[in-house]
Amino acid sequence: MEDLEIEIPHYFLCPISLQIMKDPVTAITGITYDRDSIEQWLQNSSTATAAVCPVSKQPLPRTADLTPNHTLRRLIQAWCTLNSVNRIPTPKSPLAKPHVTKLLREILHHAPSPGSLHALHKLDSLASESDRNRATIADAGAAKAMVSLVLNPEFRTTGGVEHALRVLNLVWNHTPETTTKLLVRQNEGPLLHSLTWILNDSNSNSQQNQTTLTQAMCLANRVIAYAGASLLERLEPEFFRTIVVRILESRTASKQARRYALQALVEACPWGANRAKIVEADAIHALIELQLDQMSSAGSKGAGEKHATELAFDLLARLCTSADGRERLVGHAAGLAVVAKRTLRVSAATDDRAVQVLGMVARYAAGKEEVLTEMLRVGAVTKLCMVMQADCAAYLKEKARGILREHSAFWNNSPCIAVYLLTWYPR
C-alpha cells in the first residue's frame, strides 16, 4: 500500500495498532478497535478489575462485551477490493461457551470411544487457535475435565492422551490459580503416578510421542510447583529415574522437555531425601553428558540453551551438597573439566553455581589430594584465578579468593598455573 501511495481512511485504522482492522469491535465506551489489539490491551492492564479505554480514558472493565462492528468490517472489505488491496477475510465467530461445554460433555461421557476422541481432537484444535479460545475453554472447566482424562487408565492407552495434555497445558494460564492449585492438591499423587506412566510408555523414537513426552513433562513441572510438602518429601524414586532416563539421557528428547525436567528436579531438591534419590538415579552423569553435548553443538548459544545450562548448574550445585553427589561428579571423567569449562562462558548465574561446586568439591571430596590435582589438571584452579580478574560480582571474587587461599599450600608454585594469574591479586 505504501508503494501504491493509497490513502487509507483513518476510521479503518485501529487506534492501538494503527493498522487496518481485521475484526473491528466496539467497546462500551463507543470506540472501535481491532479485536486482537483491544483484547491484548485489556489482558496487559495493570489494574486487576478494570482497564482504561485508550482513546476516551474512561474505565473499561476486563469482562466488558466487545460488539462486532459488521458494518465497518464490510466497508473495509469493500475498500480493499476496490483498491486491489489484499482483502480482509471475514473473521470467525467467537467460540461460544455452550459449544465448549457440549464438547466436554461428549468427551467425558463417552471416553475413550472414537466419538470422544474426535471431540477431544476438535477441542485441541480450538485451543490451539487463539488466546480468546483458550480463555473460553478454560472458563468452561476444561482443566478439571482434562485432569480426569489423564487419570483414566483406559484413556491413557489411547492416542488421545497427547491432546488431553496439550489442552490442559494451553488452558492452564487462563484458569484461575486457585482452581489449578486445588486441582493439583486434590489429585497430586495419582496425577504424578499417571504422568510417570505416560513418560515411561511413550516411544522416544516417535515424533508424536516426543510431543507427548514434552507435554507430560510440562504438566509434571506444574504439578511439582503446586504440590504440597507432604507429597514432595515422599516422591517415588521411579519418578526421578523416569525423568533422568526418558528425558535427560535421551538423545531425541526436545530441548523444551529437558528444561521442564530440570525445573522439576530443582523444585524437588529442597528435601534431602529427594536429592539422594536424584543422585541415585544417576542425574549427575546425565547432567555432565548433557553439557558435553551442548558444548559440542554449534547452535547452543541461544537464550533457551543458556537457561538450560543455568538450571543444570543450579541442580548440580544442590546435588553436590551431599557426599554421594560430589563423589559422582568427581567420578565422571569429564565432571570437573565441564564445570571449569563452563565457568565465565555462560552467565553470572552459572558462574555462581560453578564456583560453589568447585569450592564444595575442593573442601569435602574424598581423596582430597587427587581431587585438588585434578582441578589443577583440568584448569579449574586457573578459572578461579580468572574469576578474580573478570568483571564478576564482588562476592563471587571473594568466594574464589577464599577457595584459592584455603588450598594455596597444595597449589602454590604449580606449573599448571600461569605466574601472572597468581600475582595479579595478593593472596
Side-chain angles (χ1 to χ4, degrees):
M1 286 186 286
E2 291 177 357
D3 294 339
L4 297 174
E5 296 184 356
I6 299 174
E7 184 177 352
I8 306 172
H10 69 89
Y11 50 87
F12 286 180
L13 302 178
C14 173
I16 297 176
S17 67
L18 301 181
Q19 302 294 318
I20 293 181
M21 291 183 278
K22 298 178 181 179
D23 185 8
V25 293
T26 303
I28 59 172
T29 57
I31 309 298
T32 298
Y33 301 94
D34 194 28
R35 183 185 290 275
D36 287 343
S37 297
I38 189 60
E39 286 184 347
Q40 190 68 31
W41 173 276
L42 293 173
Q43 183 179 342
N44 294 338
S45 172
S46 58
T47 307
T49 56
V52 175
C53 177
V55 175
S56 69
K57 307 303 180 185
Q58 294 177 328
L60 185 60
R62 290 173 179 270
T63 56
D65 290 334
L66 299 172
T67 307
N69 194 328
H70 297 298
T71 301
L72 181 56
R73 175 177 53 77
R74 293 190 189 101
L75 284 173
I76 293 173
Q77 290 175 329
W79 179 86
C80 289
T81 302
L82 184 64
N83 290 275
S84 301
V85 176
N86 290 336
R87 188 175 185 273
I88 302 298
T90 301
K92 293 181 179 179
S93 300
L95 181 62
K97 184 177 176 180
H99 179 59
V100 177
T101 304
K102 181 180 178 182
L103 284 175
L104 290 175
R105 190 181 300 115
E106 185 174 350
I107 291 168
L108 294 176
H109 288 185
H110 302 94
S113 68
S116 171
L117 295 177
H118 176 74
L120 179 59
H121 187 276
K122 187 172 182 179
L123 187 67
D124 185 6
S125 299
L126 290 170
S128 302
E129 282 182 6
S130 66
D131 268 344
R132 190 188 317 140
N133 283 1
R134 289 190 277 275
T136 303
I137 293 170
D139 191 43
K144 184 176 181 180
M146 295 305 106
V147 166
S148 69
L149 291 178
V150 173
L151 294 175
N152 185 338
E154 293 183 11
F155 183 83
R156 289 202 305 261
T157 59
T158 70
V161 70
E162 176 191 343
H163 299 294
L165 288 169
R166 182 160 48 235
V167 170
L168 182 53
N169 284 319
L170 285 172
V171 304
W172 190 273
N173 290 332
H174 296 272
T175 305
E177 188 175 4
T178 52
T179 302
T180 51
K181 278 187 176 180
L182 184 61
L183 269 175
V184 168
R185 294 296 176 89
Q186 289 177 338
N187 304 283
E188 52 190 22
L191 199 48
L192 277 183
H193 177 76
S194 296
L195 291 171
T196 302
W197 187 92
I198 292 169
L199 289 169
N200 274 320
D201 186 63
S202 298
N203 178 5
S204 59
N205 295 321
S206 163
Q207 182 59 44
Q208 180 181 3
N209 282 323
Q210 275 307 307
T211 304
T212 304
L213 276 173
T214 302
Q215 295 294 335
M217 198 62 247
C218 176
L219 183 56
N221 186 41
R222 296 180 190 276
V223 172
I224 291 292
Y226 281 167
S230 59
L231 173 76
L232 293 176
E233 63 188 9
R234 53 182 175 82
L235 289 170
E236 294 293 334
E238 178 63 20
F239 174 69
F240 298 118
R241 280 196 297 270
T242 299
I243 291 179
V244 172
V245 174
R246 302 293 293 167
I247 307 293
L248 297 185
E249 291 183 350
S250 172
R251 297 284 181 175
T252 57
S254 69
K255 294 177 181 179
Q256 196 173 22
R258 286 174 181 162
R259 286 196 294 273
Y260 290 141
L262 290 170
Q263 287 171 347
L265 294 177
V266 168
E267 288 283 348
C269 267
W271 288 268
N274 288 344
R275 290 197 296 273
K277 293 170 187 175
I278 295 171
V279 170
E280 188 63 30
D282 213 10
I284 289 181
H285 181 276
L287 290 173
I288 298 301
E289 292 297 324
L290 199 57
Q291 290 303 303
L292 289 172
D293 288 343
Q294 288 184 8
M295 289 190 292
S296 64
S297 173
S300 62
K301 296 184 179 180
E305 290 299 332
K306 175 183 173 182
H307 183 49
T309 300
E310 290 174 347
L311 286 170
F313 270 75
D314 188 9
L315 178 60
L316 194 61
R318 293 168 185 265
L319 298 181
C320 283
T321 57
S322 70
D324 194 15
R326 294 188 292 271
E327 183 180 350
R328 298 212 180 205
L329 174 66
V330 174
H332 192 292
L336 290 173
V338 164
V339 175
K341 187 76 172 177
R342 285 309 226 182
T343 306
L344 299 178
R345 293 286 186 95
V346 182
S347 67
T350 303
D351 296 341
D352 176 81
R353 294 308 191 185
V355 171
Q356 183 180 342
V357 168
L358 292 176
M360 287 188 292
V361 168
R363 175 177 290 184
Y364 300 115
K368 190 169 183 178
E369 287 193 3
E370 290 81 359
V371 172
L372 296 178
T373 302
E374 177 71 2
M375 290 179 69
L376 276 172
R377 190 181 69 81
V378 301
V381 182
T382 298
K383 274 296 178 73
L384 289 172
C385 294
M386 294 175 68
V387 166
M388 294 170 59
Q389 302 175 29
D391 185 20
C392 297
Y395 82 90
L396 193 59
K397 292 183 178 185
E398 189 58 36
K399 191 183 293 186
R401 183 183 285 109
I403 298 171
L404 290 169
R405 187 180 290 126
E406 182 178 354
H407 306 289
S408 60
F410 189 89
W411 290 331
N412 212 10
N413 302 320
S414 170
C416 297
I417 309 175
V419 175
Y420 80 92
L421 292 173
L422 292 172
T423 58
W424 194 284
Y425 285 97
R427 282 168 283 165

